[in-house]
Amino acid sequence: MPTTDTVPASVPTAVPKPPPQEPVRDWWVLIGMTIAAASAAVASFSGLYGLATLTGWPVRLAWLLPLTLDAHAMTSARVWLASTTRSSAARRFARSNALGAIGMSITGNATYHAIGTGLINMTWPIVVLVGAVPAAVLGLTAHLHALRSRTDAAHNDKDGGEDEPQNVREPASRRPARRRRSRYRTEDDLLAAARTASARYQEIHGKPITRDALRTELRISTPRATELRRRLQVPETATPDETGKTDGQ
């Protein structure tokens, strides 16, 4: 019976991964977050505004205290959680700033209510700390911006080997290289190893071993390899006097 050759269908070696699906938005969660954020912003604004007026801020400028803290907390949290932040140092600094700004806001509101209820009295440290907030936030935000412009080496390799920005500095201190212990205890051991390497090189290449090949094989310095190669050229049965004559020639 006639037979027909059938060509097997090509089987794909790898199954392509499906594109990642975007998570489904839960509108109830978004609505709850919006309400919680709005109420927290209003309550925090009221407490920090009152604390600013109690510590001597002009009424027309007291709103700057809650605005400064909330803006710094939002900016730091954005740098901390954003996928575009390519510096681990910037991410760590942003995290500490975000948590610190939230803690300062909580402390400020608690201090305002404690003063209003008579639990604590207005003292000069409170006035100094509240007055120092704008300058401190300005310095922290500027430093955060400078760190965010850096790029770690790991991100450069991941993105395809982009050029490293000039403001990325190499670590100033490195661990000192450990001194390697000698593989050969005595000169006789070293000379024996050199003769073995020379014989192997002669068998493979058909010529005496070179200085660089000897240095690489034994992992020794260049001057020491030169001295060993000179000693290899002297016959093993030569006496010290004959060795001196050979060197003189």
Side-chain angles (χ1 to χ4, degrees):
M1 296 178 62
T3 59
T4 57
D5 296 334
T6 58
V7 179
S10 59
V11 180
T13 57
V15 179
K17 295 182 179 180
Q21 298 181 356
E22 296 183 358
V24 180
R25 294 184 178 180
D26 191 336
W27 291 103
W28 288 107
V29 174
L30 294 177
I31 292 173
M33 288 179 57
T34 303
I35 296 175
S39 60
V42 172
S44 176
F45 184 91
S46 176
L48 294 176
Y49 178 88
L51 180 63
T53 56
L54 290 178
T55 54
W57 287 43
V59 176
R60 66 181 185 277
L61 299 179
W63 59 273
L64 290 175
L65 179 62
L67 183 65
T68 301
L69 286 177
D70 292 343
H72 184 59
M74 181 180 63
T75 303
S76 302
R78 171 64 180 173
V79 176
W80 170 23
L81 301 175
S83 59
T84 55
T85 302
R86 300 186 175 184
S87 172
S88 57
R91 198 177 296 276
R92 290 192 299 268
F93 187 74
R95 178 181 59 188
S96 61
N97 274 257
L99 298 178
I102 295 173
M104 290 176 62
S105 180
I106 295 174
T107 304
N109 280 278
T111 302
Y112 170 73
H113 292 295
I115 294 175
T117 56
L119 293 178
I120 60 175
N121 297 323
M122 178 65 66
T123 57
W124 68 266
I126 299 177
V127 177
V128 172
L129 291 175
V130 174
V133 168
V137 169
L138 176 60
L140 293 173
T141 305
H143 186 62
L144 179 62
H145 175 71
L147 287 178
R148 188 180 181 276
S149 61
R150 298 184 179 182
T151 304
D152 289 345
H155 288 90
N156 284 335
D157 297 338
K158 184 178 180 181
D159 295 342
E162 297 179 356
D163 294 337
E164 185 178 2
Q166 295 181 357
N167 56 357
V168 178
R169 299 179 179 178
E170 294 291 335
S173 59
R174 296 180 179 270
R175 293 183 178 179
R178 296 181 179 178
R179 297 182 59 184
R180 297 180 178 178
R181 298 180 60 182
S182 177
R183 301 170 57 187
Y184 313 102
R185 296 181 180 275
T186 63
E187 289 294 329
D188 294 338
D189 295 341
L190 181 60
L191 182 58
R195 295 189 187 279
T196 303
S198 178
R200 188 186 309 114
Y201 191 90
Q202 180 76 28
E203 180 181 356
I204 296 175
H205 300 279
K207 59 181 180 179
I209 191 170
T210 61
R211 180 198 62 183
D212 294 336
L214 189 62
R215 175 175 56 84
T216 304
E217 180 71 20
L218 301 181
R219 299 181 183 179
I220 56 179
S221 62
T222 300
R224 202 169 189 184
T226 303
E227 176 65 20
L228 277 176
R229 187 172 181 274
R230 184 187 65 81
R231 294 177 63 181
L232 289 176
Q233 295 175 353
V234 179
E236 295 184 12
T237 57
T239 60
D241 296 337
E242 295 175 351
T243 303
K245 293 179 181 180
T246 304
D247 294 341
Q249 295 176 357

